[in-house]
Amino acid sequence: MHVLILGANGFIGSHLSEAILARTDWHIHAMDLAEDKLATCLSHPRFHFKNGDMTKEKEWVSEQIKICDVVLPLVAVATPALYVQDPLRVFELDFEANLDIVRQCALYQKRIVFPSTSEVYGMCPDTEFDEEKSHLVTGPINKERWIYSTSKQLLDRVIYAYGGHKGLSYALFRPFNWYGPRLDNVFNPKPGGSRVLTQFIGNILRGENITLVNGGAQQRCFTYIADGIDALLRIIENKNDRARNRIFNIGNPKENISIRQLAERLIQLIVTHYPKYAAAAKSVKLIDMDAKAYYGDGYQDVSLRVPNINHAKTHLGWEPAVDMTDGLRKTLDFYLAS
Ligand code: UGA
């Protein structure tokens, strides 16, 4: 099988590339602007990489779509601070650039495995989000945070329509706060410059206090990257067509914790296991800040985000296996143990 990964140097793309090369005989055709996360893949004979911008290298991208069996367009902005700072970039990249890829998959009848997001459920009041029943609830237009959610949602709907009306074969997967090594750059000092876990690790490394937006009572189900990749491999493999034209929540409902608890657990783990950073971690204070002051007017938050994963259990035989203590230790080893 030949798999095209656009955005192979990203968090998901780099872990997926490694896993495909280690665990399958598939070929990977890949593009990204950078290659720093792909050190273990670049010289592999089944890894065919081109450094470039997929929005400019259109001819190359089309050629690869024609020769590949499955296409994963993973290029996207996925950091909430950027949704409110630069919403047009989110629309242009996450929506427009990917729409072009979706259309080509439909044209050349190639299977697409598309990264939807837990964000599509927005502020849905359900205690567990269901792929086929839950309502997708976003805020007013002046809450610009939702441009990411709605861009992804419209692409989900377009892909679903191509599936139903033009014979496109697809699978949509919705990561729920995947984390692990290589998530974001912890040396980015900008508040909101990365997702919450790497933001907090960076805060501790730099000896800064941790900011809890609106007090940190909001909850997330953190899912370790290896579990996510395990699900993704099953989706791409598509044994007996079991993933065909389905949507999968890929998250860990057992690891539902508040952002305040996340900060406390991180500090406690670092104090206990990473002596080099123990003093810095001990001196960190948790500071409350309202969302408007941290992100600006265009932000709105999600207070509870728990996936129902029955679909993935039934059709893929998948469930998460890595608990948060283990996952956080592996992540901290990557960022701190040097
Ligand atoms: C994320 C991002 O939108 C995407 O990465 C992705 O599509 C999706 O969710 C996912 O991975 O499932 P969110 O969980 O809100 O959204 O993003 P984070 O930046 O990781 O923030 C999590 C929570 O921590 C938010 O409530 C935020 O306000 C809070 N936070 C963040 C703080 O309290 N302090 C900080 O310094 C940063």
Side-chain angles (χ1 to χ4, degrees), residues 78 83 117-119 177 195-196 211 213 220 294 299 301 305:
Y83 311 160
T117 169
S118 65
E119 288 256 332
N177 289 85
R195 281 158 284 197
V196 66
T211 308
V213 173
R220 295 291 185 274
Y294 191 82
Y299 187 76
D301 212 331
R305 175 192 277 173

Side-chain angles (χ1 to χ4, degrees), residues 132-188:
E132 289 176 359
K133 296 194 191 108
S134 287
H135 289 189
L136 311 180
V137 183
T138 56
I141 301 301
N142 59 16
K143 296 299 176 194
E144 292 184 297
R145 187 243 170 89
W146 303 114
I147 197 157
Y148 173 75
S149 168
T150 51
S151 291
K152 288 280 192 181
Q153 183 192 150
L154 187 52
L155 279 174
D156 287 3
R157 292 187 187 278
V158 168
I159 291 169
Y160 184 89
Y162 271 117
H165 300 271
K166 302 276 182 193
L168 177 68
S169 174
Y170 69 86
L172 303 180
F173 65 99
R174 296 189 171 149
F176 279 65
N177 289 85
W178 291 11
Y179 72 98
R182 307 199 289 260
L183 176 59
D184 295 302
N185 178 1
V186 293
F187 298 105
N188 182 351

Side-chain angles (χ1 to χ4, degrees), residues 79-99:
T79 312
L82 289 173
Y83 311 160
V84 294
Q85 280 158 21
D86 201 352
L88 291 176
R89 176 161 162 70
V90 174
F91 175 73
E92 286 158 10
L93 191 66
D94 296 27
F95 184 80
E96 286 188 307
N98 285 308
L99 177 61

